[in-house]
Amino acid sequence: MSNLELPVLGPDDAASCCSPMVREPLGEQAAADLAKMFKALSDPVRLRLLSLIASHEGGEACVCDLTGPFDVSQPTISHHLKVLREAGLVGSERRGTWVYYWVLPAALAKLSSLLRAPVGAAPAASGGVS
């Protein structure tokens, strides 16, 4: 994993980085990029993999640590990890015979800032998900 430091964004910085869709319509390219990320996360196995990687001690996980919790084959896990990597949600690095994965904070920040409700927004009157 790289030793680059990522800046920590405050609430005001995140808003200037990526406007939530309630304030500004998405452009065509931004929508395509975000759709790829959301599509990758729409699979329960990939969503769980992302969660396992993010919560793993040290912030990165060896592929050998990711196969046990699932009732699918190792090649299937590798395919799901490839989809997450190609969507820009995780980074990876080969170390010897193993590949290590980590979540890319900028990708999560992009997704969360898009979905963040504006401050002071009133909740929906009905039909909301709880």
Side-chain angles (χ1 to χ4, degrees):
M1 185 159 96
S2 168
N3 288 332
L4 295 175
E5 289 189 28
L6 297 173
V8 177
L9 299 177
D12 297 334
D13 297 327
S16 65
C17 164
C18 309
S19 298
M21 64 182 160
V22 295
R23 285 198 305 241
E24 181 179 302
L26 289 173
E28 188 175 334
Q29 186 59 52
D33 293 343
L34 287 162
K36 190 173 184 180
M37 289 181 179
F38 282 116
K39 184 176 180 181
L41 292 174
S42 70
D43 183 280
V45 172
R46 289 194 288 265
L47 190 56
R48 286 184 59 209
L49 277 169
L50 188 74
S51 175
L52 278 170
I53 295 166
S55 63
H56 202 270
E57 186 176 333
E60 63 180 29
C62 174
V63 69
C64 60
D65 297 324
L66 300 173
T67 56
F70 299 96
D71 191 26
V72 295
S73 68
Q74 188 279 326
T76 301
I77 294 295
S78 291
H79 166 74
H80 286 303
L81 290 167
K82 178 183 175 187
V83 172
L84 290 171
R85 193 178 66 249
E86 289 176 347
L89 294 164
V90 299
S92 65
E93 176 181 77
R94 178 171 293 283
R95 298 181 196 155
T97 58
W98 298 111
V99 178
Y100 287 77
Y101 292 87
W102 58 88
V103 173
L104 297 173
L108 296 184
K110 184 186 268 189
L111 293 173
S112 65
S113 70
L114 176 74
L115 298 176
R116 184 178 46 249
V119 176
S126 64
V129 176
S130 56

